[in-house]
Amino acid sequence: MRILVTDGMDKTAMAELKAQGHEVVEQFYESEELGKALRGFDVVVVRSKTKVRAPHIDEAKGSNLKLIIRGGVGVDNIDVKYAEENGIMVRNTPNASSQSVAECALAHMFACARFISIAGAAMRNDIWDKKAYSKGIELQGKTLGIIGFGRIGAHLGVMAKAIGMNVIAFDIFHIPGIEERLGIPYVEMDELLAKSDFISVHAPAVDGGALINAERIAKMKDGVVIINTSRGTNVDEAALLAALESGKVRAAGLDVYADEPATNKALYSHPMVSCTPHIGAATNEAQKRIGAEIVDIIKAM
Protein backbone atom coordinates (compact mmCIF):
# COMPACT_ATOMS: atom_id res chain seq x y z
CA MET A 1 0.00 0.00 0.00
CA ARG A 2 0.92 3.66 -0.31
CA ILE A 3 1.04 5.25 3.14
CA LEU A 4 1.18 9.00 3.75
CA VAL A 5 2.74 10.18 7.02
CA THR A 6 1.96 13.88 7.44
CA ASP A 7 3.24 14.80 10.91
CA GLY A 8 6.18 12.48 11.42
CA MET A 9 6.49 8.98 12.87
CA ASP A 10 9.06 6.84 14.63
CA LYS A 11 11.79 5.89 12.16
CA THR A 12 11.85 2.26 13.27
CA ALA A 13 8.14 1.93 12.54
CA MET A 14 8.53 3.52 9.12
CA ALA A 15 11.41 1.16 8.33
CA GLU A 16 9.27 -1.81 9.36
CA LEU A 17 6.42 -0.70 7.09
CA LYS A 18 8.85 -0.35 4.19
CA ALA A 19 10.31 -3.79 4.94
CA GLN A 20 6.78 -5.19 4.64
CA GLY A 21 6.63 -3.84 1.09
CA HIS A 22 4.65 -0.66 1.66
CA GLU A 23 5.59 2.65 0.10
CA VAL A 24 5.83 5.27 2.87
CA VAL A 25 5.81 8.96 1.98
CA GLU A 26 6.60 11.49 4.72
CA GLN A 27 5.11 14.82 3.63
CA PHE A 28 3.08 17.55 5.30
CA TYR A 29 0.33 19.17 3.23
CA GLU A 30 -1.38 22.46 3.93
CA SER A 31 -5.15 22.19 4.30
CA GLU A 32 -5.94 23.42 0.79
CA GLU A 33 -3.65 20.75 -0.71
CA LEU A 34 -4.48 17.84 1.58
CA GLY A 35 -7.69 16.55 -0.01
CA LYS A 36 -6.16 16.17 -3.45
CA ALA A 37 -3.05 14.54 -1.98
CA LEU A 38 -5.09 11.92 -0.13
CA ARG A 39 -6.34 10.52 -3.42
CA GLY A 40 -2.91 9.02 -4.05
CA PHE A 41 -2.76 6.94 -0.87
CA ASP A 42 -4.36 3.92 0.78
CA VAL A 43 -3.57 5.03 4.34
CA VAL A 44 -2.83 8.38 5.96
CA VAL A 45 -1.15 8.70 9.35
CA VAL A 46 -1.57 12.03 11.17
CA ARG A 47 -0.75 13.48 14.59
CA SER A 48 -2.32 16.70 15.89
CA LYS A 49 -1.08 19.20 13.29
CA THR A 50 -2.96 17.77 10.31
CA LYS A 51 -6.75 18.23 10.36
CA VAL A 52 -8.76 15.84 8.15
CA ARG A 53 -12.14 17.46 7.65
CA ALA A 54 -15.22 16.71 5.54
CA PRO A 55 -14.02 18.74 2.49
CA HIS A 56 -10.78 16.72 2.41
CA ILE A 57 -12.76 13.48 2.60
CA ASP A 58 -15.02 14.71 -0.21
CA GLU A 59 -11.97 15.29 -2.40
CA ALA A 60 -10.69 11.81 -1.60
CA LYS A 61 -13.95 10.04 -2.50
CA GLY A 62 -13.57 7.42 -5.20
CA SER A 63 -9.86 6.93 -4.49
CA ASN A 64 -8.04 4.09 -2.72
CA LEU A 65 -8.05 5.83 0.66
CA LYS A 66 -9.47 3.39 3.21
CA LEU A 67 -7.82 4.18 6.55
CA ILE A 68 -6.92 7.27 8.61
CA ILE A 69 -4.74 6.64 11.66
CA ARG A 70 -4.32 9.24 14.39
CA GLY A 71 -0.99 8.65 16.14
CA GLY A 72 -2.23 9.55 19.62
CA VAL A 73 -5.34 9.43 21.74
CA GLY A 74 -7.80 12.12 20.65
CA VAL A 75 -9.36 12.06 17.18
CA ASP A 76 -11.02 15.48 17.29
CA ASN A 77 -8.80 16.65 14.41
CA ILE A 78 -10.57 14.13 12.16
CA ASP A 79 -14.23 14.19 11.08
CA VAL A 80 -14.59 10.58 12.20
CA LYS A 81 -18.28 10.05 11.58
CA TYR A 82 -18.14 11.58 8.09
CA ALA A 83 -15.09 9.51 7.17
CA GLU A 84 -16.71 6.27 8.30
CA GLU A 85 -19.97 7.13 6.52
CA ASN A 86 -17.87 7.31 3.36
CA GLY A 87 -16.18 3.96 3.86
CA ILE A 88 -12.93 5.23 5.41
CA MET A 89 -11.92 3.61 8.70
CA VAL A 90 -10.49 5.77 11.49
CA ARG A 91 -8.17 4.35 14.15
CA ASN A 92 -6.00 5.80 16.90
CA THR A 93 -3.31 4.61 19.33
CA PRO A 94 -4.97 5.06 22.73
CA ASN A 95 -2.45 3.14 24.83
CA ALA A 96 0.87 4.42 23.55
CA SER A 97 1.19 7.89 25.04
CA SER A 98 -0.86 7.70 28.24
CA GLN A 99 2.10 7.42 30.61
CA SER A 100 3.98 10.25 28.89
CA VAL A 101 1.04 12.67 29.07
CA ALA A 102 0.37 11.76 32.69
CA GLU A 103 4.00 12.42 33.59
CA CYS A 104 3.82 15.78 31.79
CA ALA A 105 0.80 16.72 33.90
CA LEU A 106 2.62 15.69 37.08
CA ALA A 107 5.67 17.72 36.02
CA HIS A 108 3.46 20.80 35.64
CA MET A 109 2.03 20.15 39.10
CA PHE A 110 5.51 20.23 40.62
CA ALA A 111 6.44 23.30 38.56
CA CYS A 112 3.36 25.17 39.78
CA ALA A 113 3.89 24.14 43.39
CA ARG A 114 7.55 25.20 43.52
CA PHE A 115 7.85 28.10 41.00
CA ILE A 116 10.19 25.95 38.89
CA SER A 117 9.30 27.54 35.55
CA ILE A 118 9.46 31.21 36.57
CA ALA A 119 12.42 30.78 38.96
CA GLY A 120 14.45 29.08 36.23
CA ALA A 121 13.58 31.83 33.77
CA ALA A 122 14.65 34.47 36.30
CA MET A 123 18.02 32.80 36.84
CA ARG A 124 18.65 32.66 33.10
CA ASN A 125 18.17 36.43 33.18
CA ASP A 126 20.76 36.70 35.99
CA ILE A 127 18.10 37.32 38.65
CA TRP A 128 18.70 35.52 41.98
CA ASP A 129 15.42 36.18 43.77
CA LYS A 130 15.30 33.41 46.34
CA LYS A 131 12.84 35.28 48.57
CA ALA A 132 10.24 35.64 45.80
CA TYR A 133 10.07 31.88 45.32
CA SER A 134 10.31 30.77 48.96
CA LYS A 135 6.59 30.11 49.49
CA GLY A 136 6.19 26.86 47.63
CA ILE A 137 3.76 24.12 48.60
CA GLU A 138 4.08 20.35 48.85
CA LEU A 139 1.98 17.94 46.82
CA GLN A 140 1.91 15.36 49.62
CA GLY A 141 -1.35 15.60 51.54
CA LYS A 142 -3.09 17.73 48.90
CA THR A 143 -6.20 16.61 47.04
CA LEU A 144 -5.96 16.09 43.29
CA GLY A 145 -9.18 16.14 41.29
CA ILE A 146 -8.95 14.45 37.89
CA ILE A 147 -11.55 15.43 35.29
CA GLY A 148 -11.68 12.65 32.69
CA PHE A 149 -10.66 9.33 34.20
CA GLY A 150 -9.53 7.31 31.21
CA ARG A 151 -6.09 5.86 30.63
CA ILE A 152 -4.17 9.11 31.15
CA GLY A 153 -6.19 10.16 34.18
CA ALA A 154 -5.73 6.74 35.75
CA HIS A 155 -1.94 6.82 35.20
CA LEU A 156 -1.77 10.26 36.83
CA GLY A 157 -3.94 9.14 39.72
CA VAL A 158 -1.68 6.19 40.52
CA MET A 159 1.45 8.38 40.47
CA ALA A 160 -0.21 11.07 42.60
CA LYS A 161 -1.25 8.50 45.21
CA ALA A 162 2.31 7.20 45.28
CA ILE A 163 3.60 10.61 46.42
CA GLY A 164 0.94 10.89 49.10
CA MET A 165 -1.83 12.87 47.43
CA ASN A 166 -5.53 12.22 47.98
CA VAL A 167 -7.09 11.57 44.56
CA ILE A 168 -10.70 11.90 43.43
CA ALA A 169 -12.08 11.68 39.90
CA PHE A 170 -15.01 12.75 37.77
CA ASP A 171 -16.00 11.18 34.47
CA ILE A 172 -19.28 10.93 32.60
CA PHE A 173 -18.45 7.25 32.07
CA HIS A 174 -18.05 5.02 35.13
CA ILE A 175 -15.62 2.18 34.44
CA PRO A 176 -16.83 -0.83 36.49
CA GLY A 177 -14.38 -1.90 39.17
CA ILE A 178 -11.85 0.89 38.65
CA GLU A 179 -12.55 2.51 42.04
CA GLU A 180 -11.73 -0.71 43.86
CA ARG A 181 -8.75 -1.52 41.64
CA LEU A 182 -7.06 1.88 41.97
CA GLY A 183 -8.54 3.09 45.25
CA ILE A 184 -9.67 6.35 43.62
CA PRO A 185 -13.33 7.30 44.18
CA TYR A 186 -15.60 8.85 41.60
CA VAL A 187 -17.34 12.05 42.74
CA GLU A 188 -19.72 14.53 41.13
CA MET A 189 -18.21 17.55 39.40
CA ASP A 190 -19.25 20.08 42.07
CA GLU A 191 -17.72 17.97 44.84
CA LEU A 192 -14.47 17.67 42.90
CA LEU A 193 -14.35 21.43 42.34
CA ALA A 194 -14.97 22.18 46.01
CA LYS A 195 -12.48 19.68 47.48
CA SER A 196 -9.50 19.78 45.12
CA ASP A 197 -6.24 21.66 45.70
CA PHE A 198 -5.06 20.62 42.22
CA ILE A 199 -7.35 19.94 39.25
CA SER A 200 -6.03 18.17 36.16
CA VAL A 201 -8.09 17.91 32.97
CA HIS A 202 -7.86 14.74 30.85
CA ALA A 203 -11.10 14.80 28.87
CA PRO A 204 -11.53 14.94 25.09
CA ALA A 205 -12.74 18.18 23.54
CA VAL A 206 -16.42 18.65 24.28
CA ASP A 207 -19.24 20.48 22.55
CA GLY A 208 -21.03 23.25 24.39
CA GLY A 209 -18.13 25.24 25.79
CA ALA A 210 -15.15 24.79 28.08
CA LEU A 211 -15.18 22.29 30.95
CA ILE A 212 -13.32 24.83 33.07
CA ASN A 213 -15.11 28.17 32.84
CA ALA A 214 -15.71 31.17 35.11
CA GLU A 215 -18.69 29.53 36.80
CA ARG A 216 -16.76 26.39 37.70
CA ILE A 217 -13.65 28.30 38.76
CA ALA A 218 -15.85 30.22 41.21
CA LYS A 219 -16.77 26.88 42.84
CA MET A 220 -13.12 25.92 43.38
CA LYS A 221 -10.98 26.46 46.45
CA ASP A 222 -9.07 29.72 46.67
CA GLY A 223 -5.50 29.05 45.57
CA VAL A 224 -6.34 26.04 43.42
CA VAL A 225 -3.85 24.88 40.76
CA ILE A 226 -5.27 23.99 37.33
CA ILE A 227 -3.46 21.65 34.92
CA ASN A 228 -4.50 21.06 31.30
CA THR A 229 -2.74 18.57 29.06
CA SER A 230 -5.90 17.50 27.19
CA ARG A 231 -7.33 20.00 24.69
CA GLY A 232 -6.93 23.76 24.83
CA THR A 233 -10.64 24.41 24.36
CA ASN A 234 -11.41 22.53 27.58
CA VAL A 235 -10.32 25.61 29.57
CA ASP A 236 -11.74 29.09 29.06
CA GLU A 237 -8.48 31.01 28.71
CA ALA A 238 -10.01 34.42 29.51
CA ALA A 239 -11.62 33.07 32.68
CA LEU A 240 -8.38 31.36 33.71
CA LEU A 241 -6.32 34.51 33.17
CA ALA A 242 -8.78 36.59 35.20
CA ALA A 243 -8.62 34.02 38.03
CA LEU A 244 -4.81 34.05 37.97
CA GLU A 245 -4.82 37.85 38.17
CA SER A 246 -7.26 37.86 41.10
CA GLY A 247 -5.40 35.10 42.96
CA LYS A 248 -8.40 32.75 42.93
CA VAL A 249 -6.18 30.36 40.96
CA ARG A 250 -2.68 30.08 42.41
CA ALA A 251 -1.08 28.74 39.24
CA ALA A 252 -1.75 26.86 36.02
CA GLY A 253 0.20 24.27 34.07
CA LEU A 254 -0.64 24.29 30.37
CA ASP A 255 0.51 22.04 27.54
CA VAL A 256 -2.42 22.81 25.22
CA TYR A 257 -4.08 26.00 24.04
CA ALA A 258 -7.23 27.20 22.28
CA ASP A 259 -5.07 28.24 19.31
CA GLU A 260 -1.90 26.39 18.42
CA PRO A 261 0.74 27.70 18.07
CA ALA A 262 -0.41 29.60 21.15
CA THR A 263 -1.47 33.22 20.59
CA ASN A 264 -2.64 34.22 24.09
CA LYS A 265 0.65 35.73 25.25
CA ALA A 266 -0.91 37.31 28.33
CA LEU A 267 -1.75 33.81 29.52
CA TYR A 268 1.33 31.79 28.59
CA SER A 269 3.71 34.53 29.75
CA HIS A 270 1.95 34.99 33.11
CA PRO A 271 4.47 34.45 35.94
CA MET A 272 2.25 31.82 37.57
CA VAL A 273 1.82 29.74 34.42
CA SER A 274 4.04 26.77 33.67
CA CYS A 275 3.78 26.32 29.91
CA THR A 276 4.95 23.82 27.30
CA PRO A 277 4.17 23.70 23.54
CA HIS A 278 1.88 20.62 23.36
CA ILE A 279 4.62 18.09 24.11
CA GLY A 280 2.71 15.81 26.47
CA ALA A 281 3.14 12.74 24.27
CA ALA A 282 6.55 13.76 22.95
CA THR A 283 8.83 11.22 24.61
CA ASN A 284 11.08 8.72 22.89
CA GLU A 285 9.24 5.86 24.56
CA ALA A 286 5.79 7.08 23.54
CA GLN A 287 6.84 7.67 19.95
CA LYS A 288 8.14 4.12 19.69
CA ARG A 289 4.93 2.72 21.17
CA ILE A 290 2.81 4.89 18.84
CA GLY A 291 4.83 3.68 15.87
CA ALA A 292 4.44 0.06 16.92
CA GLU A 293 0.65 0.47 17.32
CA ILE A 294 0.41 2.06 13.88
CA VAL A 295 2.30 -0.88 12.35
CA ASP A 296 -0.05 -3.32 14.09
CA ILE A 297 -3.14 -1.45 12.82
CA ILE A 298 -1.88 -1.57 9.25
CA LYS A 299 -0.91 -5.25 9.58
CA ALA A 300 -4.47 -6.03 10.65
CA MET A 301 -6.04 -4.51 7.54
Side-chain angles (χ1 to χ4, degrees), residues 111-138:
C112 289
R114 299 301 303 272
F115 304 101
I116 290 171
S117 180
I118 185 63
M123 286 190 66
R124 285 189 288 275
N125 285 307
D126 298 320
I127 300 171
W128 181 271
D129 198 352
K130 182 176 179 178
K131 185 177 180 181
Y133 310 121
S134 63
K135 294 183 179 180
I137 58 175
E138 294 181 353

Side-chain angles (χ1 to χ4, degrees), residues 172-252:
I172 58 173
F173 300 107
H174 192 140
I175 301 172
I178 196 169
E179 290 178 288
E180 295 77 15
R181 181 165 57 85
L182 299 181
I184 297 173
Y186 280 81
V187 298
E188 294 301 319
M189 176 69 87
D190 281 356
E191 183 179 350
L192 182 146
L193 298 175
K195 289 184 174 180
S196 299
D197 302 293
F198 289 75
I199 293 176
S200 193
V201 184
H202 298 283
V206 296
D207 296 327
L211 285 168
I212 303 299
N213 54 25
E215 180 183 356
R216 283 181 169 158
I217 290 173
K219 296 178 180 180
M220 297 176 188
K221 285 185 176 182
D222 292 343
V224 67
V225 175
I226 296 174
I227 308 296
N228 187 18
T229 57
S230 60
R231 288 293 181 264
T233 54
N234 280 338
V235 174
D236 182 326
E237 293 185 348
L240 176 58
L241 183 57
L244 286 163
E245 293 289 349
S246 72
K248 174 69 177 181
V249 173
R250 169 191 170 89

Side-chain angles (χ1 to χ4, degrees), residues 22-82:
H22 303 300
E23 180 186 352
V24 182
V25 177
E26 191 174 8
Q27 173 72 50
F28 174 76
Y29 288 95
E30 297 293 345
S31 181
E32 60 271 17
E33 302 171 332
L34 180 63
K36 183 178 179 181
L38 293 179
R39 295 187 61 82
F41 295 91
D42 302 278
V43 179
V44 59
V45 179
V46 304
R47 295 296 303 275
S48 57
K49 186 176 182 181
T50 298
K51 312 292 190 291
V52 185
R53 300 301 185 201
H56 304 129
I57 294 166
D58 285 337
E59 286 193 75
K61 284 179 182 177
S63 70
N64 290 328
L65 183 66
K66 48 187 166 285
L67 175 63
I68 302 169
I69 303 174
R70 161 72 162 96
V73 179
V75 290
D76 47 295
N77 57 322
I78 303 167
D79 284 347
V80 177
K81 184 178 180 182
Y82 193 73

